[in-house]
Amino acid sequence: MPEGHIIHRLAKELNETLGKRPVHATSPQGRFSAGAEVLNGERLVKADAFGKYLFCDFGLDQILHIHLGLIGKLRRLHAPIPEPVGVIRLRLEGDDDAWDLSGPTRCDLISPDEMESIISRLGADPLRRNSDLIQTRELLRSSRKPIGARVLDQDVIAGIGNVYRAEILFLCGISPLRPSNTIKDDEFDCLWSHTVELMRIGKRLGRIVTTDPTEIGKPRGRMNDSERLYAYKQEHCRRCGTELVVAKVGGRSIWYCPTCQPG
Ligand SMILES: [Zn+2]
């Protein structure tokens, strides 16, 4: 599933590629024909991301709401724009670039009030400024759930997915099994600061890279897939060599080092 960094990157690229002229909107698959008709000929005023939600404002009384879910994709195409391939829910075509949306969990037109209601249910987004961190910390600790599950709760922190949670807990030396209400202030600060830093790097690079360039011996942009992560789907701890443990936490697999993440 695309994590928050990808949605923020998509919003930025949509603004850069579609914001200047009216778009040509179609639904090659047909399931969003009525919606595409509303958007056709309009200009994108602003695309914005909140956690894993993407909202595109075309200056109408309805806002395009997209959630990619587990398998959804929003792909950028360059001119000359090819014929649609596969099941494309929505194509937004500008002068030089086009975007194809396939397999989303949500793609619909909603009112500004509905958008506000979705945003109001989301927790702090590490890629947006002005989060209330004291409130976020207390909310995170208000549950006895394992911390590995709690950081996936989008109403606490919006945007973290399965890869980032494994990496951030590893870097902070916190076992994913610890009850959330045992997380100390300095541990929360560590979780938050790593989340912000790593998701900013991920947004810039378009992929998740959490390892330290000095540890790997090359810049992040040149790391290959076997070098860019500490814990997620790894066999041994990159730092101490211990075999990693795989556990189901929050219904999904997480990898952690029992030595570096005790408790
Ligand atoms: Zn270790």
PDB file of all heavy atoms in Angstrom, residues 158-194:
ATOM      1  N   ALA A 158      -1.316  10.073  10.704  1.00  0.00           N
ATOM      2  CA  ALA A 158      -1.854   9.803   9.367  1.00  0.00           C
ATOM      3  C   ALA A 158      -0.721   9.688   8.356  1.00  0.00           C
ATOM      4  O   ALA A 158       0.046  10.624   8.176  1.00  0.00           O
ATOM      5  CB  ALA A 158      -2.821  10.909   8.955  1.00  0.00           C
ATOM      6  N   GLY A 159      -0.630   8.528   7.726  1.00  0.00           N
ATOM      7  CA  GLY A 159       0.342   8.388   6.642  1.00  0.00           C
ATOM      8  C   GLY A 159       1.313   7.239   6.794  1.00  0.00           C
ATOM      9  O   GLY A 159       1.919   6.805   5.831  1.00  0.00           O
ATOM     10  N   ILE A 160       1.495   6.747   8.036  1.00  0.00           N
ATOM     11  CA  ILE A 160       2.441   5.643   8.246  1.00  0.00           C
ATOM     12  C   ILE A 160       1.803   4.336   7.771  1.00  0.00           C
ATOM     13  O   ILE A 160       0.637   4.067   8.053  1.00  0.00           O
ATOM     14  CB  ILE A 160       2.815   5.494   9.739  1.00  0.00           C
ATOM     15  CG1 ILE A 160       3.560   6.733  10.226  1.00  0.00           C
ATOM     16  CG2 ILE A 160       3.668   4.243   9.975  1.00  0.00           C
ATOM     17  CD1 ILE A 160       4.016   6.637  11.686  1.00  0.00           C
ATOM     18  N   GLY A 161       2.576   3.531   7.050  1.00  0.00           N
ATOM     19  CA  GLY A 161       2.131   2.213   6.621  1.00  0.00           C
ATOM     20  C   GLY A 161       3.078   1.150   7.141  1.00  0.00           C
ATOM     21  O   GLY A 161       3.907   1.399   8.037  1.00  0.00           O
ATOM     22  N   ASN A 162       2.984  -0.032   6.559  1.00  0.00           N
ATOM     23  CA  ASN A 162       3.676  -1.192   7.111  1.00  0.00           C
ATOM     24  C   ASN A 162       5.201  -1.121   7.048  1.00  0.00           C
ATOM     25  O   ASN A 162       5.885  -1.645   7.910  1.00  0.00           O
ATOM     26  CB  ASN A 162       3.190  -2.446   6.376  1.00  0.00           C
ATOM     27  CG  ASN A 162       3.254  -3.670   7.254  1.00  0.00           C
ATOM     28  OD1 ASN A 162       3.227  -3.546   8.483  1.00  0.00           O
ATOM     29  ND2 ASN A 162       3.372  -4.835   6.646  1.00  0.00           N
ATOM     30  N   VAL A 163       5.731  -0.470   6.005  1.00  0.00           N
ATOM     31  CA  VAL A 163       7.197  -0.394   5.888  1.00  0.00           C
ATOM     32  C   VAL A 163       7.746   0.630   6.885  1.00  0.00           C
ATOM     33  O   VAL A 163       8.654   0.326   7.675  1.00  0.00           O
ATOM     34  CB  VAL A 163       7.619  -0.025   4.450  1.00  0.00           C
ATOM     35  CG1 VAL A 163       9.144  -0.020   4.338  1.00  0.00           C
ATOM     36  CG2 VAL A 163       7.018  -0.994   3.447  1.00  0.00           C
ATOM     37  N   TYR A 164       7.180   1.818   6.873  1.00  0.00           N
ATOM     38  CA  TYR A 164       7.687   2.849   7.781  1.00  0.00           C
ATOM     39  C   TYR A 164       7.580   2.433   9.242  1.00  0.00           C
ATOM     40  O   TYR A 164       8.459   2.721  10.048  1.00  0.00           O
ATOM     41  CB  TYR A 164       6.965   4.185   7.563  1.00  0.00           C
ATOM     42  CG  TYR A 164       7.588   5.028   6.472  1.00  0.00           C
ATOM     43  CD1 TYR A 164       6.835   5.478   5.398  1.00  0.00           C
ATOM     44  CD2 TYR A 164       8.937   5.388   6.512  1.00  0.00           C
ATOM     45  CE1 TYR A 164       7.403   6.240   4.388  1.00  0.00           C
ATOM     46  CE2 TYR A 164       9.507   6.148   5.510  1.00  0.00           C
ATOM     47  CZ  TYR A 164       8.740   6.576   4.453  1.00  0.00           C
ATOM     48  OH  TYR A 164       9.309   7.327   3.461  1.00  0.00           O
ATOM     49  N   ARG A 165       6.494   1.752   9.627  1.00  0.00           N
ATOM     50  CA  ARG A 165       6.362   1.432  11.057  1.00  0.00           C
ATOM     51  C   ARG A 165       7.489   0.518  11.511  1.00  0.00           C
ATOM     52  O   ARG A 165       8.047   0.700  12.591  1.00  0.00           O
ATOM     53  CB  ARG A 165       4.993   0.815  11.369  1.00  0.00           C
ATOM     54  CG  ARG A 165       4.821  -0.613  10.917  1.00  0.00           C
ATOM     55  CD  ARG A 165       3.691  -1.322  11.639  1.00  0.00           C
ATOM     56  NE  ARG A 165       3.514  -2.660  11.078  1.00  0.00           N
ATOM     57  CZ  ARG A 165       2.780  -3.601  11.608  1.00  0.00           C
ATOM     58  NH1 ARG A 165       2.112  -3.371  12.723  1.00  0.00           N
ATOM     59  NH2 ARG A 165       2.678  -4.791  11.037  1.00  0.00           N
ATOM     60  N   ALA A 166       7.871  -0.456  10.675  1.00  0.00           N
ATOM     61  CA  ALA A 166       8.953  -1.373  11.058  1.00  0.00           C
ATOM     62  C   ALA A 166      10.272  -0.612  11.181  1.00  0.00           C
ATOM     63  O   ALA A 166      11.060  -0.828  12.111  1.00  0.00           O
ATOM     64  CB  ALA A 166       9.077  -2.486  10.024  1.00  0.00           C
ATOM     65  N   GLU A 167      10.504   0.295  10.251  1.00  0.00           N
ATOM     66  CA  GLU A 167      11.768   1.029  10.216  1.00  0.00           C
ATOM     67  C   GLU A 167      11.886   2.013  11.380  1.00  0.00           C
ATOM     68  O   GLU A 167      12.926   2.138  12.010  1.00  0.00           O
ATOM     69  CB  GLU A 167      11.875   1.763   8.881  1.00  0.00           C
ATOM     70  CG  GLU A 167      11.900   0.839   7.682  1.00  0.00           C
ATOM     71  CD  GLU A 167      13.087  -0.113   7.727  1.00  0.00           C
ATOM     72  OE1 GLU A 167      14.226   0.376   7.832  1.00  0.00           O
ATOM     73  OE2 GLU A 167      12.880  -1.345   7.686  1.00  0.00           O
ATOM     74  N   ILE A 168      10.797   2.718  11.654  1.00  0.00           N
ATOM     75  CA  ILE A 168      10.829   3.749  12.693  1.00  0.00           C
ATOM     76  C   ILE A 168      10.970   3.116  14.078  1.00  0.00           C
ATOM     77  O   ILE A 168      11.752   3.579  14.911  1.00  0.00           O
ATOM     78  CB  ILE A 168       9.560   4.624  12.575  1.00  0.00           C
ATOM     79  CG1 ILE A 168       9.636   5.444  11.294  1.00  0.00           C
ATOM     80  CG2 ILE A 168       9.402   5.528  13.783  1.00  0.00           C
ATOM     81  CD1 ILE A 168       8.286   5.889  10.772  1.00  0.00           C
ATOM     82  N   LEU A 169      10.262   2.027  14.316  1.00  0.00           N
ATOM     83  CA  LEU A 169      10.384   1.355  15.619  1.00  0.00           C
ATOM     84  C   LEU A 169      11.791   0.777  15.785  1.00  0.00           C
ATOM     85  O   LEU A 169      12.361   0.827  16.873  1.00  0.00           O
ATOM     86  CB  LEU A 169       9.316   0.268  15.757  1.00  0.00           C
ATOM     87  CG  LEU A 169       7.886   0.806  15.915  1.00  0.00           C
ATOM     88  CD1 LEU A 169       6.865  -0.326  15.785  1.00  0.00           C
ATOM     89  CD2 LEU A 169       7.711   1.519  17.256  1.00  0.00           C
ATOM     90  N   PHE A 170      12.360   0.271  14.700  1.00  0.00           N
ATOM     91  CA  PHE A 170      13.746  -0.221  14.774  1.00  0.00           C
ATOM     92  C   PHE A 170      14.689   0.922  15.151  1.00  0.00           C
ATOM     93  O   PHE A 170      15.503   0.803  16.059  1.00  0.00           O
ATOM     94  CB  PHE A 170      14.172  -0.838  13.429  1.00  0.00           C
ATOM     95  CG  PHE A 170      15.637  -1.205  13.410  1.00  0.00           C
ATOM     96  CD1 PHE A 170      16.063  -2.417  13.949  1.00  0.00           C
ATOM     97  CD2 PHE A 170      16.588  -0.331  12.903  1.00  0.00           C
ATOM     98  CE1 PHE A 170      17.427  -2.738  13.978  1.00  0.00           C
ATOM     99  CE2 PHE A 170      17.945  -0.651  12.918  1.00  0.00           C
ATOM    100  CZ  PHE A 170      18.362  -1.859  13.452  1.00  0.00           C
ATOM    101  N   LEU A 171      14.584   2.029  14.441  1.00  0.00           N
ATOM    102  CA  LEU A 171      15.520   3.136  14.665  1.00  0.00           C
ATOM    103  C   LEU A 171      15.388   3.721  16.072  1.00  0.00           C
ATOM    104  O   LEU A 171      16.346   4.276  16.598  1.00  0.00           O
ATOM    105  CB  LEU A 171      15.310   4.221  13.602  1.00  0.00           C
ATOM    106  CG  LEU A 171      15.906   3.846  12.246  1.00  0.00           C
ATOM    107  CD1 LEU A 171      15.360   4.725  11.146  1.00  0.00           C
ATOM    108  CD2 LEU A 171      17.435   3.947  12.295  1.00  0.00           C
ATOM    109  N   CYS A 172      14.206   3.610  16.660  1.00  0.00           N
ATOM    110  CA  CYS A 172      14.010   4.131  18.017  1.00  0.00           C
ATOM    111  C   CYS A 172      14.241   3.051  19.076  1.00  0.00           C
ATOM    112  O   CYS A 172      14.127   3.330  20.272  1.00  0.00           O
ATOM    113  CB  CYS A 172      12.617   4.730  18.157  1.00  0.00           C
ATOM    114  SG  CYS A 172      12.384   6.177  17.127  1.00  0.00           S
ATOM    115  N   GLY A 173      14.576   1.831  18.646  1.00  0.00           N
ATOM    116  CA  GLY A 173      14.859   0.763  19.607  1.00  0.00           C
ATOM    117  C   GLY A 173      13.651   0.343  20.424  1.00  0.00           C
ATOM    118  O   GLY A 173      13.779  -0.031  21.592  1.00  0.00           O
ATOM    119  N   ILE A 174      12.469   0.412  19.815  1.00  0.00           N
ATOM    120  CA  ILE A 174      11.225   0.093  20.533  1.00  0.00           C
ATOM    121  C   ILE A 174      10.624  -1.195  19.970  1.00  0.00           C
ATOM    122  O   ILE A 174      10.404  -1.308  18.761  1.00  0.00           O
ATOM    123  CB  ILE A 174      10.204   1.248  20.381  1.00  0.00           C
ATOM    124  CG1 ILE A 174      10.769   2.534  21.005  1.00  0.00           C
ATOM    125  CG2 ILE A 174       8.866   0.876  21.012  1.00  0.00           C
ATOM    126  CD1 ILE A 174       9.932   3.770  20.718  1.00  0.00           C
ATOM    127  N   SER A 175      10.354  -2.145  20.845  1.00  0.00           N
ATOM    128  CA  SER A 175       9.706  -3.382  20.406  1.00  0.00           C
ATOM    129  C   SER A 175       8.283  -3.083  19.951  1.00  0.00           C
ATOM    130  O   SER A 175       7.546  -2.370  20.643  1.00  0.00           O
ATOM    131  CB  SER A 175       9.658  -4.394  21.555  1.00  0.00           C
ATOM    132  OG  SER A 175       8.717  -5.413  21.240  1.00  0.00           O
ATOM    133  N   PRO A 176       7.879  -3.635  18.802  1.00  0.00           N
ATOM    134  CA  PRO A 176       6.506  -3.383  18.325  1.00  0.00           C
ATOM    135  C   PRO A 176       5.446  -3.964  19.260  1.00  0.00           C
ATOM    136  O   PRO A 176       4.275  -3.607  19.171  1.00  0.00           O
ATOM    137  CB  PRO A 176       6.460  -4.083  16.958  1.00  0.00           C
ATOM    138  CG  PRO A 176       7.587  -5.056  16.961  1.00  0.00           C
ATOM    139  CD  PRO A 176       8.643  -4.484  17.873  1.00  0.00           C
ATOM    140  N   LEU A 177       5.868  -4.851  20.184  1.00  0.00           N
ATOM    141  CA  LEU A 177       4.901  -5.514  21.067  1.00  0.00           C
ATOM    142  C   LEU A 177       4.611  -4.700  22.331  1.00  0.00           C
ATOM    143  O   LEU A 177       3.692  -5.024  23.084  1.00  0.00           O
ATOM    144  CB  LEU A 177       5.424  -6.902  21.463  1.00  0.00           C
ATOM    145  CG  LEU A 177       5.834  -7.809  20.298  1.00  0.00           C
ATOM    146  CD1 LEU A 177       6.396  -9.130  20.810  1.00  0.00           C
ATOM    147  CD2 LEU A 177       4.657  -8.059  19.363  1.00  0.00           C
ATOM    148  N   ARG A 178       5.393  -3.656  22.589  1.00  0.00           N
ATOM    149  CA  ARG A 178       5.182  -2.879  23.819  1.00  0.00           C
ATOM    150  C   ARG A 178       3.819  -2.203  23.821  1.00  0.00           C
ATOM    151  O   ARG A 178       3.400  -1.623  22.816  1.00  0.00           O
ATOM    152  CB  ARG A 178       6.251  -1.785  23.927  1.00  0.00           C
ATOM    153  CG  ARG A 178       7.601  -2.295  24.340  1.00  0.00           C
ATOM    154  CD  ARG A 178       8.255  -1.553  25.491  1.00  0.00           C
ATOM    155  NE  ARG A 178       7.847  -0.223  25.812  1.00  0.00           N
ATOM    156  CZ  ARG A 178       8.626   0.860  25.681  1.00  0.00           C
ATOM    157  NH1 ARG A 178       9.847   0.745  25.189  1.00  0.00           N
ATOM    158  NH2 ARG A 178       8.192   2.042  26.071  1.00  0.00           N
ATOM    159  N   PRO A 179       3.115  -2.240  24.946  1.00  0.00           N
ATOM    160  CA  PRO A 179       1.833  -1.520  25.009  1.00  0.00           C
ATOM    161  C   PRO A 179       2.061  -0.020  24.788  1.00  0.00           C
ATOM    162  O   PRO A 179       3.029   0.548  25.305  1.00  0.00           O
ATOM    163  CB  PRO A 179       1.351  -1.793  26.440  1.00  0.00           C
ATOM    164  CG  PRO A 179       2.097  -3.015  26.887  1.00  0.00           C
ATOM    165  CD  PRO A 179       3.421  -2.958  26.198  1.00  0.00           C
ATOM    166  N   SER A 180       1.175   0.590  24.023  1.00  0.00           N
ATOM    167  CA  SER A 180       1.359   2.006  23.670  1.00  0.00           C
ATOM    168  C   SER A 180       1.401   2.907  24.899  1.00  0.00           C
ATOM    169  O   SER A 180       2.076   3.936  24.899  1.00  0.00           O
ATOM    170  CB  SER A 180       0.234   2.459  22.751  1.00  0.00           C
ATOM    171  OG  SER A 180       0.226   1.660  21.594  1.00  0.00           O
ATOM    172  N   ASN A 181       0.685   2.516  25.960  1.00  0.00           N
ATOM    173  CA  ASN A 181       0.657   3.384  27.142  1.00  0.00           C
ATOM    174  C   ASN A 181       1.958   3.341  27.958  1.00  0.00           C
ATOM    175  O   ASN A 181       2.078   4.040  28.953  1.00  0.00           O
ATOM    176  CB  ASN A 181      -0.563   3.061  28.027  1.00  0.00           C
ATOM    177  CG  ASN A 181      -0.555   1.617  28.498  1.00  0.00           C
ATOM    178  OD1 ASN A 181       0.283   0.823  28.064  1.00  0.00           O
ATOM    179  ND2 ASN A 181      -1.491   1.269  29.372  1.00  0.00           N
ATOM    180  N   THR A 182       2.945   2.534  27.518  1.00  0.00           N
ATOM    181  CA  THR A 182       4.250   2.530  28.203  1.00  0.00           C
ATOM    182  C   THR A 182       5.282   3.377  27.464  1.00  0.00           C
ATOM    183  O   THR A 182       6.442   3.448  27.879  1.00  0.00           O
ATOM    184  CB  THR A 182       4.816   1.094  28.339  1.00  0.00           C
ATOM    185  OG1 THR A 182       5.144   0.607  27.009  1.00  0.00           O
ATOM    186  CG2 THR A 182       3.819   0.147  28.989  1.00  0.00           C
ATOM    187  N   ILE A 183       4.887   3.994  26.358  1.00  0.00           N
ATOM    188  CA  ILE A 183       5.827   4.803  25.566  1.00  0.00           C
ATOM    189  C   ILE A 183       6.138   6.103  26.328  1.00  0.00           C
ATOM    190  O   ILE A 183       5.230   6.844  26.712  1.00  0.00           O
ATOM    191  CB  ILE A 183       5.233   5.112  24.172  1.00  0.00           C
ATOM    192  CG1 ILE A 183       5.033   3.809  23.383  1.00  0.00           C
ATOM    193  CG2 ILE A 183       6.114   6.093  23.389  1.00  0.00           C
ATOM    194  CD1 ILE A 183       6.292   3.021  23.081  1.00  0.00           C
ATOM    195  N   LYS A 184       7.427   6.344  26.553  1.00  0.00           N
ATOM    196  CA  LYS A 184       7.839   7.529  27.325  1.00  0.00           C
ATOM    197  C   LYS A 184       7.920   8.757  26.412  1.00  0.00           C
ATOM    198  O   LYS A 184       7.965   8.624  25.185  1.00  0.00           O
ATOM    199  CB  LYS A 184       9.200   7.277  27.975  1.00  0.00           C
ATOM    200  CG  LYS A 184       9.187   6.094  28.939  1.00  0.00           C
ATOM    201  CD  LYS A 184      10.546   5.959  29.618  1.00  0.00           C
ATOM    202  CE  LYS A 184      10.589   4.711  30.493  1.00  0.00           C
ATOM    203  NZ  LYS A 184      10.634   3.465  29.694  1.00  0.00           N
ATOM    204  N   ASP A 185       7.996   9.928  27.041  1.00  0.00           N
ATOM    205  CA  ASP A 185       8.046  11.180  26.260  1.00  0.00           C
ATOM    206  C   ASP A 185       9.186  11.169  25.242  1.00  0.00           C
ATOM    207  O   ASP A 185       9.000  11.529  24.082  1.00  0.00           O
ATOM    208  CB  ASP A 185       8.242  12.396  27.184  1.00  0.00           C
ATOM    209  CG  ASP A 185       6.985  12.717  27.979  1.00  0.00           C
ATOM    210  OD1 ASP A 185       5.991  11.972  27.847  1.00  0.00           O
ATOM    211  OD2 ASP A 185       7.008  13.712  28.724  1.00  0.00           O
ATOM    212  N   ASP A 186      10.385  10.793  25.701  1.00  0.00           N
ATOM    213  CA  ASP A 186      11.531  10.848  24.783  1.00  0.00           C
ATOM    214  C   ASP A 186      11.389   9.803  23.674  1.00  0.00           C
ATOM    215  O   ASP A 186      11.879   9.997  22.561  1.00  0.00           O
ATOM    216  CB  ASP A 186      12.864  10.707  25.536  1.00  0.00           C
ATOM    217  CG  ASP A 186      12.974   9.373  26.264  1.00  0.00           C
ATOM    218  OD1 ASP A 186      11.923   8.811  26.649  1.00  0.00           O
ATOM    219  OD2 ASP A 186      14.103   8.887  26.436  1.00  0.00           O
ATOM    220  N   GLU A 187      10.697   8.706  23.954  1.00  0.00           N
ATOM    221  CA  GLU A 187      10.474   7.700  22.910  1.00  0.00           C
ATOM    222  C   GLU A 187       9.472   8.222  21.872  1.00  0.00           C
ATOM    223  O   GLU A 187       9.643   8.010  20.668  1.00  0.00           O
ATOM    224  CB  GLU A 187       9.966   6.392  23.534  1.00  0.00           C
ATOM    225  CG  GLU A 187      11.052   5.691  24.327  1.00  0.00           C
ATOM    226  CD  GLU A 187      10.548   4.435  25.024  1.00  0.00           C
ATOM    227  OE1 GLU A 187       9.425   4.447  25.568  1.00  0.00           O
ATOM    228  OE2 GLU A 187      11.288   3.433  25.025  1.00  0.00           O
ATOM    229  N   PHE A 188       8.461   8.915  22.344  1.00  0.00           N
ATOM    230  CA  PHE A 188       7.522   9.518  21.390  1.00  0.00           C
ATOM    231  C   PHE A 188       8.258  10.546  20.525  1.00  0.00           C
ATOM    232  O   PHE A 188       8.072  10.596  19.300  1.00  0.00           O
ATOM    233  CB  PHE A 188       6.340  10.188  22.105  1.00  0.00           C
ATOM    234  CG  PHE A 188       5.464  10.938  21.133  1.00  0.00           C
ATOM    235  CD1 PHE A 188       4.515  10.257  20.375  1.00  0.00           C
ATOM    236  CD2 PHE A 188       5.637  12.306  20.927  1.00  0.00           C
ATOM    237  CE1 PHE A 188       3.747  10.933  19.428  1.00  0.00           C
ATOM    238  CE2 PHE A 188       4.872  12.981  19.976  1.00  0.00           C
ATOM    239  CZ  PHE A 188       3.921  12.302  19.234  1.00  0.00           C
ATOM    240  N   ASP A 189       9.090  11.377  21.167  1.00  0.00           N
ATOM    241  CA  ASP A 189       9.842  12.387  20.397  1.00  0.00           C
ATOM    242  C   ASP A 189      10.697  11.716  19.328  1.00  0.00           C
ATOM    243  O   ASP A 189      10.810  12.211  18.203  1.00  0.00           O
ATOM    244  CB  ASP A 189      10.740  13.216  21.332  1.00  0.00           C
ATOM    245  CG  ASP A 189       9.924  14.085  22.276  1.00  0.00           C
ATOM    246  OD1 ASP A 189       8.706  14.259  22.017  1.00  0.00           O
ATOM    247  OD2 ASP A 189      10.481  14.567  23.278  1.00  0.00           O
ATOM    248  N   CYS A 190      11.310  10.584  19.683  1.00  0.00           N
ATOM    249  CA  CYS A 190      12.141   9.841  18.725  1.00  0.00           C
ATOM    250  C   CYS A 190      11.280   9.318  17.573  1.00  0.00           C
ATOM    251  O   CYS A 190      11.623   9.481  16.396  1.00  0.00           O
ATOM    252  CB  CYS A 190      12.826   8.685  19.446  1.00  0.00           C
ATOM    253  SG  CYS A 190      13.881   7.704  18.368  1.00  0.00           S
ATOM    254  N   LEU A 191      10.125   8.745  17.910  1.00  0.00           N
ATOM    255  CA  LEU A 191       9.230   8.217  16.873  1.00  0.00           C
ATOM    256  C   LEU A 191       8.802   9.323  15.911  1.00  0.00           C
ATOM    257  O   LEU A 191       8.851   9.172  14.693  1.00  0.00           O
ATOM    258  CB  LEU A 191       7.962   7.618  17.511  1.00  0.00           C
ATOM    259  CG  LEU A 191       8.074   6.273  18.213  1.00  0.00           C
ATOM    260  CD1 LEU A 191       6.741   5.922  18.871  1.00  0.00           C
ATOM    261  CD2 LEU A 191       8.454   5.195  17.214  1.00  0.00           C
ATOM    262  N   TRP A 192       8.396  10.450  16.479  1.00  0.00           N
ATOM    263  CA  TRP A 192       7.881  11.528  15.640  1.00  0.00           C
ATOM    264  C   TRP A 192       8.996  12.117  14.763  1.00  0.00           C
ATOM    265  O   TRP A 192       8.810  12.306  13.562  1.00  0.00           O
ATOM    266  CB  TRP A 192       7.219  12.622  16.499  1.00  0.00           C
ATOM    267  CG  TRP A 192       6.631  13.686  15.638  1.00  0.00           C
ATOM    268  CD1 TRP A 192       7.180  14.920  15.379  1.00  0.00           C
ATOM    269  CD2 TRP A 192       5.426  13.615  14.871  1.00  0.00           C
ATOM    270  NE1 TRP A 192       6.385  15.619  14.499  1.00  0.00           N
ATOM    271  CE2 TRP A 192       5.309  14.845  14.178  1.00  0.00           C
ATOM    272  CE3 TRP A 192       4.450  12.634  14.700  1.00  0.00           C
ATOM    273  CZ2 TRP A 192       4.231  15.108  13.319  1.00  0.00           C
ATOM    274  CZ3 TRP A 192       3.394  12.905  13.847  1.00  0.00           C
ATOM    275  CH2 TRP A 192       3.283  14.126  13.179  1.00  0.00           C
ATOM    276  N   SER A 193      10.145  12.402  15.353  1.00  0.00           N
ATOM    277  CA  SER A 193      11.194  13.058  14.562  1.00  0.00           C
ATOM    278  C   SER A 193      11.709  12.138  13.452  1.00  0.00           C
ATOM    279  O   SER A 193      11.968  12.588  12.337  1.00  0.00           O
ATOM    280  CB  SER A 193      12.334  13.556  15.456  1.00  0.00           C
ATOM    281  OG  SER A 193      12.936  12.471  16.105  1.00  0.00           O
ATOM    282  N   HIS A 194      11.824  10.843  13.743  1.00  0.00           N
ATOM    283  CA  HIS A 194      12.240   9.917  12.676  1.00  0.00           C
ATOM    284  C   HIS A 194      11.170   9.809  11.592  1.00  0.00           C
ATOM    285  O   HIS A 194      11.481   9.719  10.408  1.00  0.00           O
ATOM    286  CB  HIS A 194      12.529   8.528  13.248  1.00  0.00           C
ATOM    287  CG  HIS A 194      13.913   8.402  13.786  1.00  0.00           C
ATOM    288  ND1 HIS A 194      14.216   8.642  15.104  1.00  0.00           N
ATOM    289  CD2 HIS A 194      15.086   8.106  13.184  1.00  0.00           C
ATOM    290  CE1 HIS A 194      15.519   8.480  15.290  1.00  0.00           C
ATOM    291  NE2 HIS A 194      16.075   8.155  14.137  1.00  0.00           N
TER     292      HIS A 194
END
